[in-house]
Structures are given as C-alpha cells and as structure tokens.
C-alpha cells in the first residue's frame, strides 16, 4: 500500500507530466467512463501502470502557469509550448532502469535490515548473559568451573566479552588446597570400569553448578567436559568406556550438552585454551592497539603445556593461528606428556628401579619390593603405586594401575637434584635414540620443536610449588632450590607438620629441583622470563571465552565487522543514513517507472494499513510532495472550481479536521483534496494518515480532471456528514 501510494502519487504527477512531449495524446480527456468512488475514471486513469513515475524535474512543468485548462473544465491539456521537450526513455530502457532500481532498493533494504538486526541484537545481547560450565577432567582430579558471559564493547578492545567465574560456596577443603575450585578426586583415568566411581565424581559437580546458575538459564547453559593428559594416555578402549559412561551420566543434567562436547582435548588445544585464558586475564587478548601477549606454561600432574606467540613458522605440528576479535595471533603450542609433577616423580621411581640390579620380579609384582629414594625425607616410609614400573602388569580392578613399591626416605640433595634433572631429559626415558645433553640444548623438547621465547606466566603446578614453599611470585628459581633443600633435610615428622594437610607433601622435596631443572635445562627459560601466575588462571576459562565468542559472532553475523562499524561509525547515524537513502531511492524508483509490482498497487493491500487514531504521529520524514503549489498557495481544485474563485471552500470544517489530524506539513494540499467517497474513506481510514497522501493526490488529480461540480458538492456533503 505504502509503495503503491507513493507510486500513485508520483504516477499521478507523471500522468500530468505524460502530456509533456510524450507519445500520449495531446490532452487527456476524461470521458464519463462510468462512475467509481464518486469519481469519474477515464480508462487512461485506470491504467496507471502504464505511466512512468513522477519526475521531480517535471515539477516546474506542473506549475499552474504551465497548465491551460480545457473549455469545460472536465478535461484539460497542457500547454505544450510551456513545456520543455521532455525526453521519454524508451520502453526497454525503462525496463532496465526499473530492474536496476529494484535491485538497488532490495540490496539497500537488506543491508538496512542486517545493520538494524545486528545493532539490535548486539544491544540486546549487551544485557543478556550466557552461562558456560566446563569440566576439567585432570589426572589428579575432576573440577567444575562456571562462567557467566556478557557483552561489553570497549574502544580499547576488540574482544567485547566479559567473563566472570562463579565460585559461590567453594571453601578450600584444607588451607593446603592450592585452588579455589569444586573438585572431586581421583581423576577419571583412575576410574576405568568403575561406573559408580564416575557417578560419585560427577554428580556433586553438577549439583554445585546448578546452584551457580539461575534455573531459567539452565537449558541455555552449555556444558563442556574435556579430559586432559590423564585420560589422553589411556588405551582407546578405556578412554571410550570412560567418555561413553560420562556422557550417559551427564545426559540427565539440566544443562545443554552434546556428545561431541564430552571428549579428550589434545595437548595443543589444552595449550591454547590456557594461553587464551592467561592473556584474557592479563588484558592482552584483543587489545587495541595490539599488545605483546604472554607465553603460558601450564604444569599439570601429567603433562606440561607450552604456548607462546611465534612469528617463525618452524614446526607445522605446533603452529597455530588464532584470530581473536580483530587481531591475529601466530602461536607455537605443544603439550609435553609425562612432564607433569606426578608423572615426573613416577619417572624418578622408574629410574631408581632400573638402577637396582637385584630386583626380584615376583617381589615386584607381588608388591614386596622396598626401595630407597633420595628425594624423600628421612623416616618416610610409604607405599607407592608405580604404573610405569611394570607396564605389562595386568590392570587392578579399581584405582590406579601399576605395582605397589615400598619407598623409604634416604634424603640426599645432590642425588635428588640429579634425579630431577634426569626426569627432565626426555632422551633418558622416552624412546628417542640419541641422548640429548641438557647442557647444550633444551632437553625436554622433542627434535624440531620451537624453543620458547619471550615472557611467560608459569601457572598450575608452578604456582602450587611456589605456594607450598610460601614463596612470592617474585621469588627466583634459586629461592625455590633453597627452600626445597631446607625441606628435604627435615625429618619426615617435622616436614609433614610444617605445612597444612594436603596431597603429595612427600613429593615436594623432588618437585623443587624438578621445576627449576625443567625451566632451565628442559626449556632453556631463564628467571627473568618467568612470572608465577595465580591458581585462578586455568584453561577452562579459555574454553568459555572462545565458545562465547563463537556464539556472539555467529549470531550477529560477523560481529567483527559490526564492531568495526561501531568503532568508526555511530550506528544511529548509520541506520538513519540507510533509512533516508532507502526512502530517497524508493522515491526515485517510483518516479522512474511504475516499477512497483502491480501487487503493491492494490489499494486494499493491508501493507502498512494504519488507522488514523493509531498513526497520529507526525511523520519523521518530510516528503517533498508532488503538488506543484508552493506551500501556502492554493492548488486549483479543478478547472471548474478554480474558474469560480468566489466559491468558498465550504468544506473547510472537514478540511480543518483533516488539517488538525493531518500529518503533512503543507496542509495547503489538503485544502485541495475534496471529498468524494474516497475522501470520506480517507477520513475514516486515516485520510490524515501519513500513508494516505497518494490516494488524496491521485483522487485530487482524478477529481481535478474528472469530478463534476455536482459530484463534488454531493460527495463533499457526504464526507462532511461522515465527520459529524
Ligand atoms: N598442595 C596442593 N597440590 C595440588 C593441589 N591441586 C593440585 N595440586 C598438585 O598440583 C599438580 C597439578 O595440579 P593440576 O594442575 O590440577 O593437575 P591436573 O590437571 O590434574 O593434571 P593434568 O591432567 O596433567 O593437567 C597436581 O599434580 C597436584 O599434585 C592442591 O590443592 N594443593
Ligand atoms: Ca591440568
């Protein structure tokens, strides 16, 4: 309707303009071709579709002085003389113009819808929160992290995500616990074929997570269950059993979880999730302008992740390209299996076992073997389950696989340091043929792996060791060695009570020299390159950030591009500009041809149908109306009426009424719409409405040419009564 009306408006004009040097007959005579809506329509008038749209240039042509009226007033023709030679594009040319205009209009409209929807969603999503639950299925335990993501565009960041970790109700079991996290032990890799153990490990975490998140958001909360090194090193049958059972237990959770979200993540994935979390928390990620990011050293119980920005493309397997916000990052990311704290200690046991020449195999398998360890305090005696001591030994029913060995404390700092260095040298224990010399090269790195460079945050296990020895983040590696030596020299009963109760106290005499050797000889990282990170930096935060980023960018169809726009162009200005250009294009479109498809020109089309009551809002757009009259000047109603200047505009009241509710700036045009049935109709259905002008002008046009005096007065009387 709206487009149809615009078309009529401009077409009406074009009908008059059609007289101008067009192939149409000299004058348009409106015979009494039957009465309709109180108006006499001529065949030609009904055939609007053949007329081209109104050309603003022709406005002047329509000025009164250029109009000469026929004798009976019922028809008129234009004075050709006063009219410049209009050019009448050929029919095929018009068709092309029409097609191009329609295409441009559709493209502009689509762009407008896109921008508005993106702007709307982005503003909506600013307030909206999404929740993410991430399970870290580590080798020493399973932890749940709950994150609340919201959107906040900032000028200094191309990453508009605000991520908050929800840790309500977490109290460290003992002051010795290094992390504020909801955790169950042991890790999944010790629960193979133990479904009840899995349920015990998972259910408390789900129940805790439910309490962190509003109930209404449970269904829209995504739950990711990612297993790391502990499960990664299991046999395929065992890891499949674990993941299948975990999935069946989780399927009952109120959160949204997909089967592909219950999985073992690769060491590289774990590495860059950790790097993402670290640089998000240090506000390096997505910084504009770009800032140098930190490398991440994530020391677990079973593996060590190393991630840093590296412009050299040395080793394909470890290269990773990441785009965060509008910034590209070229990373080297790898995970060193067996370098975790627990696995390293186990390697020291295996190493010692290899050195024993008189080991009785049946004693070993029967758990009767006793062995001294130089990194255990004097007076320490304890059973250690060694899974790598006799790999061929059949799996125990439940709990950790391996053989029990009785370890006895025989502290010797020198031997302990050498054992730790040996545990760092992969060629000493992995299957690599040639031994690497730790004094010549980073002996923890496989051949070809890129050497770590730049500044690093050392988190997880590094943090746990610093915390155990009560060292500040600024302490040096030598401080760690000093503290470790002091601890090793203590008798076990003294050492054990010198710290709050916590797991693995007996292993910290080994852990001190181990982490120092790992950094210095294993990775060739110096003290100056290291900052010890807090326990809250965990790769699970990286998962939530990347998932939230995916969700946002997919739903706002290229958040980045929008963000670029919002950075540079005020969205309001952008949208207003688009709207105005769309409307101008529409005007041009309807002027160029009756290009609106016939469908749009049906007067009864409900499109944009408004009742005047609901639409009595001043139009935000000021249409340049086709009326040839300048504002305030009266348009001749029709030759008849005009030729009778004394005729009072007796229908002023209805006009007045329309004027008061009129949306138009130039009410003068209203003065010249006179009633007919359609006028009455206009008054009823929003004749003063913003959308009604074309009909009025069309009606005006028609009636100006075809309305007889009688019709006019009768229909005016009707409309007048109607208003009453
Ligand atoms: N003292 C103390 N040590 C802890 C605590 N939590 C973890 N650790 C030790 O720190 C080491 C690293 O812990 P995590 O980073 O959780 O290791 P993980 O994730 O289970 O191991 P991966 O699967 O290799 O990542 C573990 O081997 C534990 O020995 C704690 O609360 N207190
Ligand atoms: Ca871990």
């Amino acid at each position: 309707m709206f487009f149809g009306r615009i078309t009529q408006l401009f077409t009406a004009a074009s009908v008059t303009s059609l007289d101008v040097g067009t192939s149409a007959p000299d004058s348009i005579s409106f015979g009494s071709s039957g009465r309709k809506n109180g108006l006499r329509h001529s065949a030609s008038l009904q055939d609007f579709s053949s007329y081209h749209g109104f050309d603003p240039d022709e406005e002047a042509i329509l000025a009164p002085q250029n109009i000469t009226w026929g004798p009976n007033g019922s028809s008129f023709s234009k004075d050709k003389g006063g009219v410049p030679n209009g050019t009448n594009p050929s029919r095929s040319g018009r068709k092309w113009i029409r097609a191009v205009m329609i295409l441009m209009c559709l493209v502009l409209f689509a762009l407008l819808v896109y921008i508005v929807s993106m702007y709307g969603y982005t503003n909506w999503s600013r307030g909206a929160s999404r929740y993410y639950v991430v399970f870290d299925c580590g080798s020493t335990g399973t932890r749940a992290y709950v994150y609340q993501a919201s959107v906040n565009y900032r000028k200094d960041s191309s990453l508009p995500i605000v991520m908050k970790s929800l840790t309500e109700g977490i109290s460290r079991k003992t002051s010795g616990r290094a992390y504020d996290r909801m955790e169950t032990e042991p890790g999944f890799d010790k629960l193979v074929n133990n479904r009840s153990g899995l349920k015990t490990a998972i259910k408390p975490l789900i129940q805790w997570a439910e309490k962190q998140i509003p109930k209404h958001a449970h269904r829209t909360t995504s739950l990711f269950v990612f297993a790391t090194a502990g499960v990664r090193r299991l046999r395929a049958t065992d890891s499949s059993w674990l993941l299948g059972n975990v999935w069946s237990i989780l399927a009952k959770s109120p959160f949204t979880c997909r089967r592909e979200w219950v999985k073992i993540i690769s060491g590289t994935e774990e590495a860059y999730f950790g790097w993402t979390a670290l640089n998000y928390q240090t506000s390096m990620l997505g910084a504009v302008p770009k800032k140098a990011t930190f490398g991440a050293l994530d020391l677990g119980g079973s593996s060590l992740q190393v991630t840093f920005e590296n412009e050299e493309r040395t080793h394909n397997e470890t290269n990773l390209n990441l785009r965060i916000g509008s910034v590209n990052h070229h990373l080297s990311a790898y995970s060193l299996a067996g370098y975790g704290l627990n696995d390293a200690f186990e390697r020291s046991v295996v190493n010692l076992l290899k050195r024993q020449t008189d080991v009785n195999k049946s004693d070993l398998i029967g758990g009767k073997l006793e062995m001294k360890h130089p990194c255990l305090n004097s007076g320490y005696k304890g059973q250690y389950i060694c899974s790598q001591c006799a790999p061929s030994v059949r799996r125990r029913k439940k709990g950790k696989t391996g053989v029990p060995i009785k370890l006895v404390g025989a502290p010797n700092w020198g031997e302990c340091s050498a054992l730790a260095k040996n545990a760092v040298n992969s060629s000493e224990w992995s299957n690599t043929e040639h031994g690497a010399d730790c004094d010549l090269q980073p002996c923890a790195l496989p051949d070809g792996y890129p050497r770590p460079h730049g500044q690093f945050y050392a988190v997880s296990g590094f943090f746990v060791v610093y915390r155990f020895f009560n060292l500040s983040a600024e302490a040096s590696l030598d401080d760690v060695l000093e503290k470790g030596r002091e601890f090793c020299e203590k008798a076990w009963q003294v050492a054990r009570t010198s710290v709050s109760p916590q797991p693995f106290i007996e292993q910290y005499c080994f852990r001190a020299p181990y982490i120092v050797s790992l950094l210095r000889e294993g990775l060739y990282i110096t003290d100056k390159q290291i900052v010890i990170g807090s326990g809250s930096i965990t790769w699970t935060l990286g998962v939530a950030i990347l998932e939230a980023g995916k969700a946002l960018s997919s739903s706002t169809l290229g958040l980045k591009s929008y963000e670029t726009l919002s950075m540079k162009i005020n969205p309001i200005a952008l949208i207003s500009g688009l709207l105005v250009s769309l409307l101008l294009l529409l005007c041009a479109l309807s002027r160029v041809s009756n290009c609106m498809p016939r469908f749009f020109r049906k007067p009864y089309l409900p499109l944009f149908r408004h009742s005047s009551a609901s639409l009595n809002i001043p139009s935000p757009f000021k249409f340049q109306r086709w009326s040839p009259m300048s504002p305030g000047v009266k348009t001749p109603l029709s030759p008849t009426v005009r030729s009778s200047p004394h005729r009072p505009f007796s229908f002023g009241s209805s006009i007045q009424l329309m004027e008061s509710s009129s949306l138009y700036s130039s009410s003068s045009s209203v003065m010249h719409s006179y009633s007919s049935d359609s006028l009455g109709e206009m008054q009823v259905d929003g004749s003063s409405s913003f959308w009604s002008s074309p009909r009025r002008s069309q009606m005006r046009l028609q009636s100006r040419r075809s309305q007889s005096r009688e019709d006019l007065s009768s229909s005016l009387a009707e409309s007048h009564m109607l208003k009453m």
Side-chain angles (χ1 to χ4, degrees), residues 136 138 143 228 270 298 300-301 539:
D136 164 8
R143 306 92 193 197
T228 57
E270 184 181 2
D298 175 0
W539 59 265

Side-chain angles (χ1 to χ4, degrees), residues 93-124:
R94 281 215 305 276
K95 278 195 168 37
W96 274 110
I97 293 170
R98 177 188 313 174
V100 168
M101 290 302 231
I102 289 178
L103 194 63
M104 282 171 64
C105 175
L106 292 174
V107 167
L108 203 58
F109 191 69
L111 184 60
L112 176 70
V113 169
Y114 171 81
I115 292 277
V116 172
S117 59
M118 204 161 54
Y119 181 72
Y121 179 85
T122 306
N123 280 284
W124 170 77

